[in-house]
Amino acid sequence: MKFTIHNKTTAPEASQPILQAVERAYGFIPNLYGVFAESPAAVQAYVALSEALKKSALSPIEQQVVAIAVSTENDCAYCVAAHSGMASMMKMPDATLCELREQRPLSDPKLKVLRDFTLAVVKERGWVAPTEVEAFLGAGYSRRQLLEVITVVAMKTLSNYVNHIAETPLDQAFESKQWSAKKEHQTA
């Protein structure tokens, strides 16, 4: 099914101010937001999660580790490319970004624990083993950060699934960070 990628004038009226704010923040309206704009509730929810995470105890790089880990696990080429671009702008070490994109173990021990915990949340649908929680907390993360990991997982699950169904085309701004999903998915 083809989805419309809305702009500030084609979006439903309730989505238009949100797209205007997104454009001010990014300098353009990423296609994902254009797709989300079809539903004022969906675009508002996504932006609200993004805004809330600005107050996160996870650093911007840690948030990108979570976002890329979720997106690679969910095979979302759009989100991996977009978050790879953001991670580079935040000065994430190239080696870490490469390890994340290639789904290899992270060489940074604390970030490895963060990614492992994130993947446990995704794969186990929240039924994370107590040993995983203990490892996360033992690495120096807090319960607050644990809840914020789950918040990023929720946000990325929302965008990953929308991108899968809408087949959101990659924005030119993210083309240099293109990523290929590990398996073919058929949409029938």
Side-chain angles (χ1 to χ4, degrees):
M1 176 188 312
K2 185 97 168 130
F3 276 73
T4 300
I5 300 171
H6 288 285
N7 60 41
K8 296 177 298 191
T9 58
T10 65
E13 189 176 335
S15 294
Q16 291 176 8
I18 298 168
L19 291 185
Q20 290 169 357
V22 166
E23 185 176 46
R24 281 191 302 274
Y26 291 99
F28 71 105
I29 299 170
N31 289 336
L32 172 64
Y33 288 92
V35 170
F36 266 132
E38 182 75 26
S39 165
V43 72
Q44 183 178 10
Y46 192 75
V47 168
L49 283 170
S50 182
E51 284 297 312
L53 287 166
K54 289 180 179 177
K55 299 173 186 132
S56 175
L58 293 169
S59 73
I61 287 180
E62 289 169 329
Q63 289 183 49
Q64 294 307 312
V65 167
V66 176
I68 295 169
V70 174
S71 298
T72 56
E73 182 61 27
N74 287 336
D75 288 331
C76 185
Y78 182 96
C79 284
V80 173
H83 285 283
S84 294
M86 287 187 258
S88 290
M89 287 188 295
M90 293 172 182
K91 307 291 186 219
M92 177 183 282
D94 290 339
T96 302
L97 182 55
C98 187
E99 291 163 347
L100 283 164
R101 289 170 53 90
E102 294 175 4
Q103 296 175 285
R104 293 186 285 123
L106 300 184
S107 51
D108 180 301
K110 188 171 182 185
L111 293 180
K112 179 185 182 310
V113 171
L114 174 61
R115 180 185 180 213
D116 290 348
F117 178 75
T118 299
L119 292 177
V121 169
V122 173
K123 291 177 182 179
E124 302 303 324
R125 296 181 177 95
W127 295 104
V128 179
T131 55
E132 293 278 357
V133 173
E134 290 168 14
F136 181 79
L137 297 173
Y141 291 106
S142 66
R143 291 175 193 269
R144 173 184 172 177
Q145 289 169 312
L146 183 149
L147 295 172
E148 291 168 357
V149 166
I150 295 169
T151 304
V152 177
V153 169
M155 181 179 164
K156 287 295 87 193
T157 300
L158 176 62
S159 63
N160 292 171
Y161 290 7
V162 166
N163 287 324
H164 294 336
I165 292 170
E167 298 179 10
T168 309
L170 190 61
D171 302 274
Q172 185 177 7
F174 307 131
E175 283 181 358
S176 68
K177 298 294 185 186
Q178 248 179 346
W179 181 83
S180 294
K182 59 185 170 191
K183 55 187 167 212
E184 290 281 322
H185 296 280
Q186 295 182 357
T187 53

